[in-house]
Amino acid sequence: MGLLIWQDDLDTGIDVIDAQHRRIVEMINQLHAAQQRGSRDGVGEVIAELVDYTLSHFAFEEELLEEAGYPFTAAHRRVHEVFIKRVSEYRLRFDAGEDIADELKTLLSRWLFNHIRNDDKAYSQTVRRHLDAFSRTHQHGSWLNRTLSRLFG
């Protein structure tokens, strides 16, 4: 598997979510680069960062869905939980000395792109409406922008 390239059909129309998704793609590409260099330590660092960032992204996304009143938030959360469990198993295997980089890259890229195109696109209209209303009510989103910059800047 080569480097991943962001495709326009992955955009949800929610800038903050799209930026986070793009960052995850960058990290998958960093995983590929560390693997190509033959750097086990580098692979381990990228895996740790990728898992931590993905957990933060999921928590942010789930909170946003809940705030927006998305009716399938609980189901979306369960999808995230199953994915986290799978990735955690890969992390354990890596820590035990296995070379899981190829498997993990394949899982991450397929799952991420499929998840965005299906599950995330399903909530995008609800969340965009919520954020638009929030922005109009709160000085064009100044609080949201400050919070996002602090958390993900």
Side-chain angles (χ1 to χ4, degrees):
M1 184 187 109
L3 295 176
L4 294 181
I5 298 172
W6 186 264
Q7 300 164 17
D8 290 341
D9 72 325
L10 296 168
D11 287 326
T12 63
I14 305 164
D15 292 341
V16 63
I17 295 294
D18 291 338
Q20 291 172 12
H21 288 158
R22 286 175 188 259
R23 179 67 185 119
I24 293 168
V25 168
E26 288 173 15
M27 288 185 205
I28 295 169
N29 286 335
Q30 289 172 350
L31 177 61
H32 177 77
Q35 181 191 27
Q36 295 297 90
R37 289 190 307 273
S39 172
R40 182 165 172 76
D41 289 342
V43 167
E45 288 172 16
V46 174
I47 289 172
E49 182 182 2
L50 185 57
V51 169
D52 290 344
Y53 189 86
T54 301
L55 290 173
S56 297
H57 165 69
F58 285 170
F60 176 81
E61 187 177 83
E62 291 164 9
E63 182 67 25
L64 190 57
L65 295 179
E66 204 154 295
E67 284 290 320
Y70 182 61
F72 303 107
T73 300
H76 199 91
R77 182 176 287 118
R78 280 192 297 279
V79 169
H80 287 168
E81 289 168 356
V82 168
F83 179 74
I84 290 166
K85 184 177 179 185
R86 284 185 74 190
V87 170
S88 296
E89 290 168 2
Y90 277 98
R91 193 177 196 177
L92 289 173
R93 288 174 52 202
F94 176 82
D95 291 344
E98 271 189 71
D99 180 7
I100 51 85
D102 282 332
E103 281 181 66
L104 183 58
K105 285 186 311 188
T106 300
L107 168 73
L108 292 171
S109 59
R110 286 184 182 156
W111 187 90
L112 179 66
F113 285 7
N114 188 37
H115 181 69
I116 292 170
R117 286 183 176 121
N118 296 300
D119 300 323
D120 290 354
K121 290 275 181 129
Y123 72 63
S124 65
Q125 186 176 10
T126 300
V127 170
R128 282 196 316 262
R129 273 196 307 263
H130 171 73
L131 290 175
D132 288 346
F134 184 89
S135 292
R136 284 190 302 275
T137 307
H138 294 89
Q139 301 174 358
H140 304 293
S142 60
W143 171 86
L144 180 62
N145 288 336
R146 283 193 310 270
T147 302
L148 293 173
S149 294
R150 192 171 61 247
L151 293 174
F152 294 101

